[in-house]
């Protein structure tokens, strides 16, 4: 990653059902998921307002009452965070503990997030979709976030996902522009890394071993590519 590219190699086609799902319920609507370092899959069940997990083919209910619209992210240390329009919480024991409330932030730093990323140092990055920007904060130091990157509104961005490398490079998926953008520490703006081929749009991204993986959508279908 780092150089503009249009060379994309498709790795996977459409997804398949997760085994163990019928152990939990047949009536579900997952709006987000996150995978722990042990391979356990946590999923936000929007239809039933609860948190469920799947591991080794078995599904279980983790939490009966999950805030509506909660976004999930599991840190490399196995800490599961839940972010809503009201608060950032983390799962401890058998319940959610509030880390911070959004109303406690200065008005110009409040956000509506559709994705977040947590580093191994438990530093949290959130994608502020309403303001087309990425915010970073470290709960160990301060609950007031810092703006680390912003996509100009004139580009009419629609930011869907983000990923942060150990070096602090932030990648974002811009659905409207059909591009993956990146900003590095010290940069003043985002630069283009990848433009999706054809009519595909990026919806989720991952960087691993110096390779960028992108889940792309066309209508209601998805493919996973890498370069």
């Amino acid at each position: 990653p780092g150089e503009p590219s249009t060379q994309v190699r498709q790795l996977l086609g459409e997804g398949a059902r997760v085994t163990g799902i019928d152990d939990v319920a047949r009536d579900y609507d997952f709006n987000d998921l996150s995978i722990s370092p042990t391979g356990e899959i946590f999923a936000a069940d929007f239809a039933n307002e609860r948190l469920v997990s799947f591991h080794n083919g078995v599904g279980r209910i983790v939490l009966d009452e999950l805030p509506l619209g909660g976004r999930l992210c599991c840190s490399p240390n196995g800490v599961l965070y839940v972010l809503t329009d009201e608060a950032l919480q983390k799962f401890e024991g058998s319940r959610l503990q509030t880390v911070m409330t959004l109303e406690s932030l200065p008005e110009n730093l409040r956000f509506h997030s559709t994705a977040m990323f947590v580093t191994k140092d438990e530093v949290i990055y959130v994608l502020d979709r309403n303001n087309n920007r990425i915010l970073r904060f470290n709960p160990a130091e301060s609950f007031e976030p810092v703006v680390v990157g912003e996509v100009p509104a004139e580009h009419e961005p629609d930011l869907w996902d983000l990923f942060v490398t150990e070096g602090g490079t932030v990648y974002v998926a811009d659905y409207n522009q059909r591009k993956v953008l990146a900003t590095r520490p010290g940069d003043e703006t985002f630069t283009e890394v990848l433009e999706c081929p054809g009519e595909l749009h990026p919806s989720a991204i991952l960087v691993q071993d110096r390779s960028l993986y992108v889940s792309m959508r066309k209508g209601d279908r998805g493919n996973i590519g890498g370069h």
Side-chain angles (χ1 to χ4, degrees), residues 164-176:
V164 184
T165 68
E166 290 189 5
T169 298
V170 180
Y171 293 85
V172 297
D174 187 336
Y175 194 88
N176 272 1

Side-chain angles (χ1 to χ4, degrees), residues 2-127:
E3 297 296 331
S5 173
T6 57
Q7 301 301 314
V8 178
R9 177 166 56 94
Q10 181 169 328
L11 302 179
L12 300 172
E14 296 182 23
R17 288 172 58 88
V18 176
T19 58
I21 196 168
D22 288 334
D23 296 337
V24 176
R26 297 182 183 276
D27 181 19
Y28 59 86
D29 180 11
F30 296 145
N31 68 313
D32 199 17
L33 62 84
S34 186
I35 303 174
S36 77
T38 62
E40 185 172 8
I41 302 171
F42 292 96
D45 182 358
F46 182 82
N48 298 289
E49 300 180 28
R50 62 188 181 183
L51 177 67
V52 301
S53 77
F54 306 97
H55 198 214
N56 296 327
V58 177
R60 67 185 180 96
I61 298 173
V62 178
L63 190 66
D64 276 328
E65 297 181 2
L66 185 70
L68 284 174
R71 315 306 296 184
L72 308 179
C73 186
C74 199
S75 78
N77 303 311
V79 180
L80 180 66
Y81 292 86
V82 179
L83 180 63
T84 68
D85 287 340
E86 287 77 37
L88 172 68
Q89 300 172 293
K90 63 180 179 180
F91 190 71
E92 291 187 345
S94 59
R95 59 196 182 101
L96 291 174
Q97 299 278 357
T98 298
V99 176
M100 60 165 284
T101 60
L102 271 62
E103 66 178 8
S104 67
L105 298 176
E107 190 169 345
N108 66 319
L109 290 176
R110 295 178 186 177
F111 54 84
H112 170 67
S113 180
T114 52
M116 66 174 162
F117 186 92
V118 185
T119 72
K120 64 180 181 180
D121 296 320
E122 305 299 324
V123 176
I124 301 169
Y125 291 76
V126 296
L127 188 159

Side-chain angles (χ1 to χ4, degrees), residues 5-6 8 174 177-180 194-203 214-216:
S5 173
T6 57
V8 178
D174 187 336
Q177 295 192 76
R178 299 178 36 250
K179 296 177 180 180
V180 175
L194 169 74
E195 182 173 355
C196 295
E199 298 179 0
L200 296 174
H201 299 256
S203 59
V214 185
S215 176
M216 305 181 191

